[in-house]
Amino acid sequence: LVQQYPDGNKFQFTTKHPKILDAIKAQSNLGWEYFFRGYLVKDWIQALDATKNTDPHQQFSTLLQFVWFDIAQPQWQERNNVAHEPNSYLERIESERLKHQLIWYNQHRHEILPIYQQPLAEHSVEEISHMQPATRRAWINILEMAVSEIRDRPSREEIRQQNEENRQRTITDFVDVQPQVQSRPRRRNI
């Protein structure tokens, strides 16, 4: 099994023992990928008992330890290193994606941000290249919030229509705001 699993082919079993074949069938139903992650079906205990082992539970425990410590843990360690070690392949790809996204925001800031928020996207390519991935993520989050705030903000016309629908009025509706020129009294020079 250990030698045949990495090839991805169908397993070739040499045993004809019915209990072992039952355990193999039960494990197949669960999935062999789970076997190599350390999840064994309990039918293995009955199979070990049927093969005249002195202590099938101890043998099952030994089998489970073998699968876990010699197969599953090294696979997990390798996958964990690939995914999470510093400067891993996934980290480099994510960092490049964030870099290109920040450069795009920089190049299109005049189109997507109002003038008072444009400094948020003003980073040179050199500055962006030297940023840590966490910093890049934070800047992108800030820029996305700024863009969504502008996109979700109602226009002045929509606000006026909402006010009319809600029968809300402004103070200028009640006050005559026409400019009037008033003459001032002249000062006397003494």
Side-chain angles (χ1 to χ4, degrees):
L1 290 174
V2 174
Q3 293 171 347
Q4 294 177 23
Y5 179 72
D7 296 336
N9 299 328
K10 194 166 188 165
F11 292 120
Q12 301 294 323
F13 303 108
T14 57
T15 185
K16 302 288 183 218
H17 196 285
K19 289 288 186 180
I20 293 178
L21 291 174
D22 289 344
I24 289 171
K25 184 177 180 183
Q27 188 69 51
S28 295
N29 290 340
L30 178 64
W32 286 103
E33 66 274 6
Y34 292 108
F35 178 86
F36 290 102
R37 291 182 191 171
Y39 297 101
L40 280 67
V41 293
K42 292 182 179 181
D43 297 32
W44 287 110
I45 295 175
Q46 296 167 353
L48 292 169
D49 190 30
T51 57
K52 307 293 186 229
N53 279 307
T54 55
D55 188 0
H57 290 280
Q58 179 63 38
Q59 291 293 322
F60 181 77
S61 177
T62 303
L63 176 64
L64 186 60
Q65 287 177 0
F66 166 73
V67 169
W68 177 249
F69 290 115
D70 293 342
I71 298 170
Q73 188 179 22
Q75 285 179 358
W76 174 83
Q77 188 70 35
E78 183 64 26
R79 289 178 179 169
N80 194 37
N81 288 344
V82 167
H84 302 293
E85 73 180 3
N87 209 15
S88 69
Y89 177 71
L90 294 175
E91 176 108 1
R92 287 190 311 256
I93 291 202
E94 175 72 6
S95 184
E96 279 298 309
R97 186 187 67 77
L98 295 171
K99 175 182 166 184
H100 291 296
Q101 198 171 358
L102 277 173
I103 290 170
W104 184 89
Y105 273 115
N106 184 326
Q107 293 170 343
H108 295 89
R109 67 182 179 270
H110 301 293
E111 302 161 17
I112 60 173
L113 293 171
I115 196 164
Y116 63 90
Q117 288 183 334
Q118 288 177 11
L120 293 174
E122 289 179 358
H123 295 286
S124 69
V125 175
E126 185 178 340
E127 286 176 318
I128 293 170
S129 296
H130 287 67
M131 285 182 186
Q132 296 294 321
T135 307
R136 291 177 184 175
R137 272 188 222 97
W139 274 112
I140 288 172
N141 188 30
I142 290 168
L143 290 167
E144 286 174 349
M145 286 190 307
V147 169
S148 69
E149 189 265 332
I150 293 299
R151 184 184 56 234
D152 298 339
R153 180 188 297 168
S155 68
R156 288 182 180 170
E157 182 62 27
E158 290 172 332
I159 292 172
R160 189 184 63 73
Q161 287 176 353
Q162 287 174 357
N163 288 342
E164 286 178 4
E165 290 171 4
N166 297 334
R167 297 180 188 230
Q168 293 181 356
R169 304 187 80 179
T170 60
I171 191 76
T172 57
D173 292 338
F174 300 102
V175 178
D176 185 16
V177 291
Q178 305 255 335
Q180 295 180 356
V181 179
Q182 294 181 349
S183 60
R184 297 171 112 196
R186 290 188 178 182
R187 287 188 185 187
R188 291 192 302 187
N189 291 337
I190 306 185

